[in-house]
């Protein structure tokens, strides 16, 4: 089953890459740009076939993909495509310019990328990451609304026998502890709370908020027990309970004074409605963005995990190899097959969300870097028009290639570090 899970993830990865490149490809063709190649993967070509003017293929290393559009960079200031220089930085620039022009054919003069208006180039470059965002949203919605996710419910799992300050980190009652309101009211494991103080409660989050807001109040609680509704009376205690953030998540190590009933909620697989699903996805986007911002700060711990035997945290950066391993572990878990599939889809969805956010960073050679270049060109050309100055022409993104090589070098080093950690000290879910 481990192998099956890895295969499922790899297939999802390859589809995600092809789907990303299809976004670039579709709009490039729509705007009349010639695209000689559409490739999934890097390295040696495993399979390719030419159809029309484009060669479609799969390469050996499934670590990304690309489409080749002619004329990504404009000619130099002298109008020449390539000039030689003793400066290594200048050589990088001209090599990039030459590569973007190497497949120019007669009649391609009007089919080059740099000749398109900035807004068209923005659409072309943004289309790939947006495709990943769309795929992530579709997969998330499929799981949330179709399969459901594990979350706390309004069903009672266990009842606390006394009031314990949650900051004390204990679950055993001591002499002098007051009986919990739940125990005093006769709440039992298996009861499903259907209303609290006259308010219908279908979701744990809303029930929890009602309890927290009812300190020192005596409230009626209606529970479903053995197929019948039973009404209980409980005086809600005031207690130190875990703090929640704005999204309803527990803040570790922080506590507030609020109402306390004294029971543990059971967990179950719960299907989400569309509104809750959108809210859930919004929270994940925020968390993923925060994770990307926090990446540099996680490098020391990642280094320790890779070379010094340090603990590999659950939220540690993970590459394709690590994600494939997790995908394999999912199919070894002792859970229903439907939940295995749901978890695998969540993994692929999370991968696509990361691809979207990562590729939108305004750094070359990422898509976001090209978008930033096109936006800057639009700004300066419109400003020149407003000030009645000569048109400055296309912004020469090729001049930023030395910086792009530095960025690419950093990314490659980081990828190698993550790969080593994924092999010698992988993130595990079981």
């Amino acid at each position: 089953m481990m192998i099956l899970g890895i295969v499922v993830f790899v297939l999802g990865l390859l589809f995600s890459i092809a789907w990303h490149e299809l976004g670039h490809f579709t709009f490039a063709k729509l705007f009349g740009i010639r695209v000689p190649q559409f490739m999934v993967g890097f390295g040696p070509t495993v399979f390719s076939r030419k159809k029309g003017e484009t060669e479609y293929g799969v390469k050996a290393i499934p670590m990304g993909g690309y489409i080749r559009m002619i004329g990504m960079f404009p000619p130099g200031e002298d109008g020449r495509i390539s000039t030689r220089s003793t400066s290594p930085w200048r050589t990088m620039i001209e090599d990039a310019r030459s590569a973007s022009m190497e497949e120019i054919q007669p009649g391609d003069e009007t089919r080059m990328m740099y000749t398109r208006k900035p807004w068209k180039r923005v659409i072309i470059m943004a289309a790939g990451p947006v495709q990943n965002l769309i795929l992530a949203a579709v997969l998330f919605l499929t799981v949330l609304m179709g399969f459901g996710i594990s979350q706390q419910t309004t069903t009672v799992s266990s009842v606390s026998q006394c009031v314990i300050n949650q900051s004390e980190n204990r679950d055993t009652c001591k002499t002098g502890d007051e009986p919990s309101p739940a125990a005093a009211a006769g709440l039992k494991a298996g009861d499903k709370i259907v209303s609290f103080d006259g308010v219908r409660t279908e979701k744990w989050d809303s029930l929890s908020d009602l309890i927290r807001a009812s300190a020192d109040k005596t409230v009626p609680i209606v529970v479903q027990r053995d197929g019948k509704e039973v009404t209980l009376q409980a005086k809600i205690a005031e207690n130190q309970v875990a703090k929640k953030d704005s999204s309803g998540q527990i803040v570790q190590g922080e506590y507030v004074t609020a109402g306390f009933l004294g029971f543990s909620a059971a967990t179950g697989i719960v299907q989400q409605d569309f509104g809750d699903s959108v809210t859930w996805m919004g929270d994940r986007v925020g968390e993923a963005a925060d994770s990307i911002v926090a990446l540099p700060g996680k490098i020391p711990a990642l280094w320790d995990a890779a070379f010094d035997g340090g603990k590999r945290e659950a939220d540690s950066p993970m590459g394709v190899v690590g994600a494939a391993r997790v995908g394999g572990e999912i199919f070894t878990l002792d859970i229903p097959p439907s939940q295995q599939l749901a978890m695998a889809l969540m993994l692929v969805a999370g991968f696509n969300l990361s691809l979207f956010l990562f590729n939108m960073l305004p750094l070359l050679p990422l898509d976001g870097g090209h978008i930033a270049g096109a936006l800057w060109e639009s700004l300066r050309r419109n400003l020149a028009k407003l000030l009645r100055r000569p048109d400055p022409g296309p912004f020469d993104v090729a001049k930023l290639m030395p910086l792009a090589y530095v960025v690419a070098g950093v990314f490659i080093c980081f990828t190698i570090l993550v790969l080593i950690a994924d092999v010698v000290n992988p993130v595990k879910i079981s």
Side-chain angles (χ1 to χ4, degrees), residues 25 28-29 33-37 53-55 67-69:
F25 179 80
K29 299 291 283 185
I33 297 169
R34 190 163 71 83
V35 184
Q37 275 192 319
E53 61 186 16
T54 304
E55 178 190 10
I67 66 167
R68 181 151 50 184
M69 296 177 282

Side-chain angles (χ1 to χ4, degrees), residues 290-307:
D290 290 342
S291 294
I292 288 179
V293 172
L295 273 181
K298 294 182 179 181
I299 291 177
L302 189 62
W303 181 276
D304 288 342
F307 299 107

Side-chain angles (χ1 to χ4, degrees), residues 3 6-7 16 52 73 85 108 118 124 187 224 249 275 279 288 320 322 334 358 380 393-394 396:
I3 299 300
I6 293 174
V7 170
S16 301
F73 307 120
S85 170
D108 284 343
I124 291 169
L187 198 64
Q224 195 171 68
Q249 301 299 310
T279 299
V320 172
D334 186 20
F358 185 72
R380 70 174 192 165
D396 191 1

Side-chain angles (χ1 to χ4, degrees), residues 189-217:
D191 286 349
K192 181 178 180 179
I193 300 175
V194 295
S195 77
F196 181 92
D197 198 17
V199 179
R200 301 294 294 183
T201 53
E202 296 181 354
K203 298 177 181 178
W204 163 250
D205 287 341
S206 58
L207 173 58
S208 175
D209 291 341
L210 288 170
I211 295 171
R212 287 170 176 252
S214 301
D216 294 326
K217 288 179 59 177

Side-chain angles (χ1 to χ4, degrees), residues 309-333:
K311 181 181 178 182
R312 188 80 184 273
E313 300 293 340
D315 63 347
S316 173
M318 186 168 54
V320 172
V321 171
R325 184 188 181 102
V326 169
E329 285 190 4
I330 287 172
F331 281 79
T332 66
L333 296 177

Side-chain angles (χ1 to χ4, degrees), residues 114-138:
Y114 83 89
T115 64
R116 295 301 178 263
K117 292 182 178 180
W119 67 267
K120 289 185 178 181
R121 278 180 276 147
V122 168
I123 290 175
I124 291 169
M125 300 312 298
V130 170
Q131 285 278 89
N132 292 124
L133 181 62
I134 292 171
L135 181 57
V138 169

Side-chain angles (χ1 to χ4, degrees), residues 353-374:
L353 177 57
S354 296
L355 274 181
F356 165 73
L357 293 171
F358 185 72
N359 274 288
M360 290 303 287
L361 292 175
L363 298 170
L364 285 174
L366 302 175
D367 296 330
H370 290 282
I371 292 171

